Amino acid sequence: MLSKDGITDSTKKFNKLFFGIEDCDEDEQRKKIEEMNGLMEEMKQKELETILIEKLFNKISIKIEEKKMSMENAILLLKHVGYYKALKKISKLNFNGTSLDYIFVRMILNKATKNEEKNEKLLIDLCKCFALLKDGVISPELLSICVPCLLKNALMKDKREETQKEVEIALLGLSDMGYCYFRQELYLKEIIEIIKHQQKHRNLTKLAYQSAWKFFIYIYSNDYILKDMIVNELHFGREAARELNELTRNVNWKKKKEEMSKEEAKDEFILMRWLDAINYYNSFCKLWNEECVELIGSVVRVFRAAKDNHSVISNQCIYPLRNATENRVVKVDELLKGGAVEAVLEEMQGRTVDDGMLFNCLQFFTNVSEKLKEKEKDEKEKVKRKAIKRKIFEKMEEEGYEDTITSFYGIFDFLNRNLSLPFNELSFNISGYFVYV
């Protein structure tokens, strides 16, 4: 139970173990650290936030400098700090700018310069910790060291659980580096090999595989030549749909988030990361195939499953659906086949909708309407387009779409003025939202 100062029995025990470390020999230190790692696994987000503070990192750096904690033991602790930072969704870790931050930078650069084989494992571990702990952009110099080290570690084919855990941590660290800037072609071969090997052997953990795709998608989706590989060779649509469907089956949607087991909470975390990657893909990838229709259907299933007890996930689903309507290569009939049109209608009518969700739902239908107003030169396409328009119109009429839009008329101005979102303003002309045959 969380006290007024945010301290729980778990956090008290963690702090007691940590401050008693310097009085132990290395083996006893390791046992205490393993116990601390176990405590972090059980802690809730708010508990972790009370211990993963700047003071902790500065204390660790002092223990290292004074040789009261070996670097190996510090890495054992910090690797798990970074890992649970990700799993518990701690947005800011207070690691940046600490004395420990500077120690890691110095050691990584030093070990990379020496380039000795005996330093390789230590260098990889340093890079893992640094990638997981660091918030924001990493310098090009450090990226040029960390990314190859982590990819090399992630390429290990050993199926043992211990090895695969290290691979998972390496790929998790890499996945957030997609936001950084470096020469893409340097790492293309390795990440493709990791994804292809997983598709053939299925030996990676779910989080490791998602992290590999996140790294790949964020770096290469804007490369025109590689888009064909992403869509037609590596089959992003098929793979993401398969993973999403399995995760959807694993989560007990009747439970509220706080009632979930550790395994269910981790599956939910991975599912959210897939939704982020799919959202990015739907926004920027300009190739589309039948597998992507299956992907839309998978997002819709999550959308519906999550809406009662997991509004954060449900709200996350609207973005890839809306962005699909903004992608010029996505056809309206594909959105129909995937169930997106019906699902968004249900969302608008089925419960109290918050402003952000409402805005995105209305934007979804605005974009659908605009797509259906586009001119077709080919006669067959004109006939097909007319049939789709009729189907959409009937669905909207059947579901009371006109009444729904009219009921929101009075708050359009509020949404336009108060939602600081990078979308086109909603029109006051309600007729603009309807599809005429």
Side-chain angles (χ1 to χ4, degrees), residues 173-232:
L174 274 169
S175 66
D176 285 334
M177 290 182 171
Y179 299 103
C180 301
Y181 299 98
F182 46 85
R183 289 175 59 196
Q184 298 174 349
E185 67 275 10
L186 292 176
Y187 316 117
L188 180 61
K189 180 182 176 183
E190 290 88 347
I191 196 64
I192 288 174
E193 183 182 341
I194 290 167
I195 290 172
K196 284 187 172 181
H197 189 269
Q198 169 65 1
Q199 291 177 352
K200 185 176 181 180
H201 299 283
R202 301 295 174 188
N203 62 307
L204 293 179
T205 67
K206 289 187 174 300
L207 178 54
Y209 189 43
Q210 194 287 323
S211 297
W213 265 114
K214 184 180 177 185
F215 178 75
F216 189 61
I217 283 288
Y218 274 78
I219 296 172
Y220 298 108
S221 61
N222 283 319
D223 187 306
Y224 184 79
I225 295 172
L226 291 172
K227 284 175 187 172
D228 183 64
M229 176 177 288
I230 291 169
V231 176
N232 297 318

Side-chain angles (χ1 to χ4, degrees), residues 128 134 136 195 204 298 325 336 357 367 425:
K128 282 181 184 176
K134 190 76 173 175
I195 290 172
L204 293 179
S298 298
T325 67
L336 273 169
M357 176 64 84
N367 296 337
E425 287 192 347

Side-chain angles (χ1 to χ4, degrees), residues 278-382:
I278 293 164
N279 181 42
Y280 191 86
Y281 173 84
N282 285 357
S283 299
F284 297 106
C285 194
K286 303 304 180 187
L287 285 179
W288 201 258
N289 63 12
E290 190 63 30
E291 292 172 357
C292 299
V293 179
E294 182 185 352
L295 184 56
I296 291 290
S298 298
V299 174
V300 167
R301 279 189 283 278
V302 178
F303 193 31
R304 285 179 166 144
K307 67 180 181 179
D308 291 332
N309 291 320
H310 299 266
S311 59
V312 172
I313 297 178
S314 182
N315 289 347
Q316 191 70 17
C317 290
I318 193 62
Y319 294 104
L321 298 179
R322 189 209 67 210
N323 285 336
T325 67
E326 294 176 357
N327 192 328
R328 63 179 178 80
V329 301
V330 181
K331 306 297 183 186
V332 174
D333 61 327
E334 294 170 336
L335 296 169
L336 273 169
K337 287 178 187 176
V341 173
E342 192 170 350
V344 176
L345 277 172
E346 288 173 5
E347 178 63 23
M348 293 176 71
Q349 294 178 306
R351 62 183 174 90
T352 303
V353 186
D354 65 43
D355 292 342
M357 176 64 84
L358 172 58
F359 187 97
N360 286 307
C361 287
L362 293 173
Q363 192 71 60
F364 175 94
F365 284 111
T366 304
N367 296 337
V368 167
S369 179
E370 290 302 316
K371 279 179 175 288
L372 291 173
K373 289 175 183 175
E374 294 170 1
K375 301 295 183 182
E376 294 286 356
K377 295 180 180 179
D378 185 271
E379 286 300 320
K380 288 184 179 179
E381 287 299 318
K382 284 183 181 179

Side-chain angles (χ1 to χ4, degrees), residues 9-20:
D9 289 342
S10 294
T11 56
K12 284 178 183 177
K13 191 171 182 180
F14 181 95
N15 288 328
K16 184 178 179 180
L17 287 165
F18 176 72
F19 286 106

